[in-house]
């Protein structure tokens, strides 16, 4: 049987590299993953927040080290540099 | 997985305070207390001020707070308390 990789283990392997976090609403955050906790609250560094407006326009915003609340997180893309 | 000790507790109790390295959420929160932060709520409203304290639910107490709606200052508060369920992110307003 092939060895399994658990989801949180996959995120753990991503610590130190770029990751894109897609939220339940129209936002996504791309940054370097510094760490996370049991609730998948995430600490990111050199973050770009990207919000897609109803018009289709994308608004970007640069942030310093950020703690992202896990409540709104939907999808994680390890090794991604933004969509 | 990161250096957690136990899985999340049943609902109703505050999240545990596991021993974690500085890169993780509790380490970040310790590092950022007393510094200027940007707190964005789920509604999109920003609050910039000096972080006084917070807890495991992301409830936040801040001082010298400015409220930004669409990038424009709409209010100023000497002391602000934000209920944690509204918080989208806490971002350092200055390099840590």
């Amino acid at each position: 049987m092939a060895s399994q990789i658990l989801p949180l283990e996959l995120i753990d392997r991503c610590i130190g590299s770029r990751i894109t976090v897609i939220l339940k609403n129209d936002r996504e955050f791309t940054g370097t993953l510094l760490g996370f906790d049991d609730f998948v609250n995430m600490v990111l560094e050199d973050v770009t927040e990207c919000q897609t407006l109803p018009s289709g326009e994308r608004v970007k915003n640069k942030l310093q080290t950020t703690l992202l609340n896990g409540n709104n997180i939907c999808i994680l893309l390890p090794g991604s540099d933004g969509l | 997985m990161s250096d957690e000790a136990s899985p999340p507790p049943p609902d109703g109790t505050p999240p545990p305070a596991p021993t974690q390295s500085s890169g993780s959420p509790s380490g970040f929160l310790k590092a950022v207390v007393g510094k200027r932060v940007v707190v964005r709520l789920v509604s999109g409203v920003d609050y910039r001020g000096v972080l006084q304290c917070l807890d495991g639910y992301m409830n936040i107490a801040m001082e010298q707070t400015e409220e930004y709606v669409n990038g424009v200052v709409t209010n100023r508060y000497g002391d602000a308390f934000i209920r944690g369920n509204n918080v989208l992110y806490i971002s350092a307003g200055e390099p840590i």
Side-chain angles (χ1 to χ4, degrees), chain A residues 10-11 14-34 40 42-52 58 60 68 72-83:
Chain A
L10 178 62
I11 308 177
C14 186
I15 290 179
S17 36
R18 300 293 282 177
I19 188 171
T20 294
V21 183
I22 302 179
L23 272 53
K24 294 179 196 171
N25 48 32
D26 307 309
R27 286 181 213 258
E28 55 193 61
F29 291 77
T30 302
T32 307
L33 179 60
L34 296 183
V40 199
M42 307 192 78
V43 183
L44 302 173
E45 190 174 51
D46 295 331
V47 189
T48 302
E49 173 189 10
C50 182
Q51 184 183 7
T52 303
R58 303 188 77 188
K60 295 206 179 194
L68 195 53
N72 310 289
I73 292 177
C74 185
I75 302 174
L76 303 177
L77 302 176
S80 172
D81 246 333
L83 297 175

Side-chain angles (χ1 to χ4, degrees), chain B residues 4-94:
Chain B
E4 276 81 45
S6 56
D11 288 344
T13 57
T19 51
Q20 291 178 339
S21 57
S22 59
S24 303
S26 61
F28 169 81
L29 294 174
K30 284 195 185 106
V32 93
V33 167
K35 300 214 164 46
R36 286 200 67 85
V37 291
V38 181
V39 179
R40 178 162 292 188
L41 303 192
V42 180
S43 59
V45 180
D46 278 351
Y47 291 86
R48 291 173 192 251
V50 179
L51 183 63
Q52 286 304 107
C53 59
L54 71 152
D55 64 13
Y57 291 115
M58 288 204 204
N59 296 323
I60 293 168
M62 291 168 69
E63 274 186 354
Q64 300 158 33
T65 308
E66 292 163 336
E67 177 186 82
Y68 288 78
V69 180
N70 294 329
V72 178
V73 179
T74 47
N75 257 311
R76 286 190 177 85
Y77 305 107
D79 279 315
F81 173 83
I82 300 175
R83 199 176 190 276
N85 67 302
N86 300 295
V87 174
L88 180 64
Y89 64 68
I90 303 170
S91 184
E94 55 196 20

